[in-house]
Amino acid sequence: MTNKELLEIIKRLGWKNINKDGDMVSILYLQDRVIELLPYIKRAGSDLYFSLGASLGREDFSQASKYIRKERGRHPFSYILHHGKERDVVSLEELTESYVVNEINDVIDWAKAQALQAGIDEYAALPTGSLGIYPLYHLAALAVNKDQATLLNYLNHFKAGDRLDFVPYITQDYIERAYELACK
């Protein structure tokens, strides 16, 4: 099976395949959540490696992240949870369509069973000195949770010149946009 055939199977199952920054991702919208796959097949000698690379998010959280960072991309996705590491990459002798379908069904079952609000609350509780994407996710979680008090406190600190240990890409504009969302 090739990567192209893998994407065709996923598409037949009702997923939307999108080219995201050169990577093919597959998206499935459920009632209150979004699953994103970064599927691939790789051959190394006689070994075959397969991964779905599943992540789970919520549309409001993704939209908040996009708004805060002023992203204009057509495919916003901010993850809340990644599928378990035990399924990140599987070494197989042969990859069949039935195996792929079973793995995708397992991912959907996993996604439906997750408590996404708990994940958002974890992001909201992060320290301001977090690294990477997490400061953005922290602000998005505060905005989604309508935590106006914390965001206003951050904004006042920024206006007074205190960055609260936020990474350099977090600017006062980010916090203003997060506060604006929290007030809606």
Side-chain angles (χ1 to χ4, degrees):
M1 181 179 300
T2 66
N3 279 303
K4 184 177 179 180
E5 291 167 330
L6 174 62
L7 289 170
E8 283 302 314
I9 292 168
I10 294 169
K11 184 178 180 180
R12 281 196 311 268
L13 294 172
W15 296 66
K16 181 177 181 182
N17 293 327
I18 299 170
N19 185 330
K20 179 182 175 187
D21 302 325
D23 290 321
M24 287 304 293
V25 298
S26 302
I27 305 291
L28 182 67
Y29 291 90
L30 300 177
Q31 185 176 9
D32 64 341
R33 54 200 62 210
V34 182
I35 308 170
E36 180 181 78
L37 303 179
L38 183 58
Y40 76 89
I41 301 168
K42 178 181 173 188
R43 292 192 186 279
S46 62
D47 295 327
L48 176 68
Y49 298 95
F50 165 71
S51 175
L52 288 175
S55 299
L56 182 62
R58 238 174 46 188
E59 187 69 19
D60 61 343
F61 181 72
S62 291
Q63 290 296 334
S65 297
K66 178 181 175 182
Y67 181 79
I68 291 166
R69 69 179 166 217
K70 290 186 83 171
E71 183 181 308
R72 289 187 167 80
R74 60 181 195 163
H75 173 64
F77 181 78
S78 297
Y79 68 87
I80 297 170
L81 296 171
H82 285 294
H83 197 271
K85 291 188 187 300
E86 71 276 7
R87 292 187 181 241
D88 276 351
V89 178
V90 178
S91 177
L92 304 166
E93 289 182 25
E94 179 184 1
L95 183 61
T96 64
E97 183 168 344
S98 64
Y99 181 85
V100 170
V101 170
N102 286 336
E103 289 297 300
I104 289 174
N105 287 335
D106 286 348
V107 166
I108 292 170
D109 290 344
W110 164 80
K112 288 178 177 178
Q114 301 308 304
L116 292 181
Q117 186 58 47
I120 289 175
D121 292 343
E122 285 181 31
Y123 283 145
L126 288 173
T128 57
S130 297
L131 300 176
I133 195 71
Y134 296 109
L136 172 66
Y137 286 2
H138 173 65
L139 295 176
L142 292 171
V144 167
N145 284 347
K146 307 292 185 194
D147 189 344
Q148 297 173 20
T150 299
L151 290 166
L152 184 58
N153 180 45
Y154 290 176
L155 189 53
N156 288 334
H157 275 272
F158 263 69
K159 287 179 179 178
D162 179 5
R163 294 188 43 80
L164 298 168
D165 294 326
F166 273 105
V167 293
Y169 78 85
I170 298 295
T171 63
Q172 182 174 320
D173 290 346
Y174 275 49
I175 295 172
E176 287 171 351
R177 287 189 290 274
Y179 180 68
E180 178 186 330
L181 284 175
C183 292
K184 287 184 178 181

